Amino acid sequence: MSTPQPRPSVAAMPAYVAGKPPVERPGLVTYKLSSNENPYPPLDGVVEVAAEAAGRVNRYPDAGNTELYEALATAYKVPAEELALSTGAVALIFQLVSAYCGPEDEVVFAWRSFEAYPIAVLAAGATAVKVPLCSIDGPDAGHHDLDAMAAAITERTKVVFVCTPNNPTGTSVTQTELDAFLAKVPEHVLVVVDEAYAEFVRMDDAIDGVATYRARANVVVLRTFSKAYGLAGFRVGYAFAPALIAATLRAMALPFGVNVVAQAAGVASLERQTELLARVDDVVAERTRVVEGVRAAGWDIPDAQGNFVWFAFGSPERCAAFAAAADEVGLMIRPYPPEGVRVSIGEAEANTRLIELAGSFPRS
């Protein structure tokens, strides 16, 4: 008697690795810096709105997410039909790949980048084409090699992901670089600009994701409420896309996926943009302090444009040693062996401990 087996590509799928949770230590406050979460709680008033909505959880949520679509359309001045909501940006990634790819199709993305990309590709039965990032050393460390990515596109390519700021290296593509890349991409290839950390970007010539998708019929831009808005536990992501692509994404979404509490929290958060931007500025200020402190300790880390920093090591042993040293001082961080380690910007005390660790840990 045999058990039915999944498709080979599904059987080969690696599990998504979640960030290590904080571990209680007697006499030591521990901090979770492994998942790029916002260290601040939801914006004032959002929890109260969510609690009120929780009183209606005996009813199904609005399947059309009407209020949240209207709030997003107003906030970004885009038509509601050019938006798609789902349970986090990662769900939109799976929906996109499943809708546009199958066996014999290819998906191009930089590596190392967001680990959900290759999992989504395997789930669809497609082929992942991983294009190495620029060298881990020098001014281009951790950046997308967009020329190499363009060269990797073939007649089999259906989707290209550009993660900016790139998770886990934190580097960001400029608008000039993105425009030059898009000019090389055939119109039938879908380009997904993953901007989960867009609110934290502070650089010249930063990408205008909304303007970019408006200008091109083959561009989708992904955003999320998980990072800057501090709603990671509610799982709400959204996409800007041409109407046909947005409709495809909505068709691929699970019915009632964005629950009633998450919808209410999203609408309430969009009504508090001023407070949001002030909070993001606080995170960016801490990020600047961390980058300057770590560099002062002798580390040549790349520019950080997300809410995290990247330490390149090049060996699994060094990654493991740094993670173990962080654990000893109460910091739960995220190793990506063999390339390096990602550390989220957290509470001020946690960030201070990271700077001190960088000063004491051997750089080679």
Side-chain angles (χ1 to χ4, degrees):
M1 185 171 167
S2 61
T3 301
Q5 298 297 305
R7 289 184 286 110
S9 62
V10 174
M13 283 170 51
Y16 182 88
V17 180
K20 185 178 180 180
V23 178
E24 290 188 11
R25 297 281 184 80
L28 179 66
V29 177
T30 59
Y31 296 94
K32 183 184 178 186
L33 304 182
S34 56
S35 296
N36 294 349
E37 296 156 331
N38 194 320
Y40 299 107
L43 298 165
D44 289 343
V46 172
V47 171
E48 290 77 7
V49 170
E52 189 278 330
R56 304 192 300 275
V57 296
N58 58 307
R59 304 294 184 184
Y60 285 109
D62 169 20
N65 307 126
T66 307
E67 287 189 30
L68 188 49
Y69 273 113
E70 290 177 353
L72 284 166
T74 299
Y76 290 103
K77 298 179 174 58
V78 300
E81 59 267 23
E82 295 181 4
L83 291 163
L85 284 162
S86 197
T87 50
V90 69
L92 291 163
I93 290 166
F94 276 76
Q95 290 162 219
L96 277 162
V97 177
S98 295
Y100 288 90
C101 300
E104 310 302 325
D105 294 330
E106 294 178 345
V107 179
V108 174
F109 50 88
W111 196 254
R112 183 174 286 269
S113 192
F114 185 33
E115 65 186 291
Y117 299 154
I119 300 174
V121 174
L122 281 171
T127 299
V129 178
K130 299 179 180 180
V131 178
L133 295 167
C134 294
S135 169
I136 62 171
D137 300 309
D140 291 330
H143 284 265
H144 279 58
D145 188 340
L146 292 175
D147 288 338
M149 289 178 65
I153 295 173
T154 71
E155 67 278 357
R156 294 175 57 190
T157 305
K158 292 296 191 294
V159 176
V160 177
F161 283 99
V162 178
C163 186
T164 179
N166 185 49
N167 179 15
T169 62
T171 56
S172 192
V173 173
T174 67
Q175 186 70 56
T176 299
E177 292 168 339
L178 181 62
D179 288 341
F181 172 71
L182 291 173
K184 300 175 184 177
V185 177
E187 292 182 355
H188 69 276
V189 174
L190 185 63
V191 178
V192 183
V193 182
D194 188 346
E195 287 196 296
Y197 303 93
E199 293 87 354
F200 300 101
V201 175
R202 299 291 186 277
M203 61 181 287
D204 294 335
D205 197 21
I207 288 175
D208 184 335
V210 174
T212 301
Y213 102 85
R214 280 174 167 162
R216 296 180 181 272
N218 64 332
V219 171
V220 175
V221 174
L222 303 183
R223 299 276 182 88
T224 182
F225 284 94
S226 294
K227 308 303 181 185
Y229 287 90
L231 300 181
F234 281 152
R235 312 305 304 127
V236 186
Y238 55 101
F240 303 105
L244 177 60
I245 299 174
T248 300
L249 281 171
R250 293 194 297 271
M252 292 292 292
L254 291 174
F256 305 111
V258 181
N259 67 65
V260 64
V261 181
Q263 288 184 58
V267 172
S269 295
L270 287 169
E271 293 171 350
R272 293 159 171 78
Q273 291 284 352
T274 301
E275 297 96 318
L276 170 75
L277 295 175
R279 175 169 292 179
V280 170
D281 284 343
D282 290 342
V283 175
V284 170
E286 278 294 292
R287 181 185 73 191
T288 300
R289 182 171 76 91
V290 169
V291 170
E292 291 177 349
V294 169
R295 286 177 173 169
W299 294 84
D300 184 19
I301 63 171
D303 289 334
Q305 294 296 330
N307 63 337
F308 52 93
V309 294
W310 173 253
F311 293 81
F313 287 115
S315 78
E317 294 80 14
R318 292 273 292 155
C319 290
F322 190 81
D327 188 78
E328 285 298 314
V329 296
L331 304 179
M332 311 301 117
I333 66 176
R334 182 64 183 273
Y336 289 84
E339 294 96 336
V341 171
R342 187 194 71 194
V343 188
S344 308
I345 300 301
E347 295 83 349
E349 170 59 25
N351 300 331
T352 297
R353 290 189 201 176
L354 174 61
I355 295 169
E356 293 171 349
L357 173 63
S360 62
F361 191 84
R363 292 182 293 281
S364 61

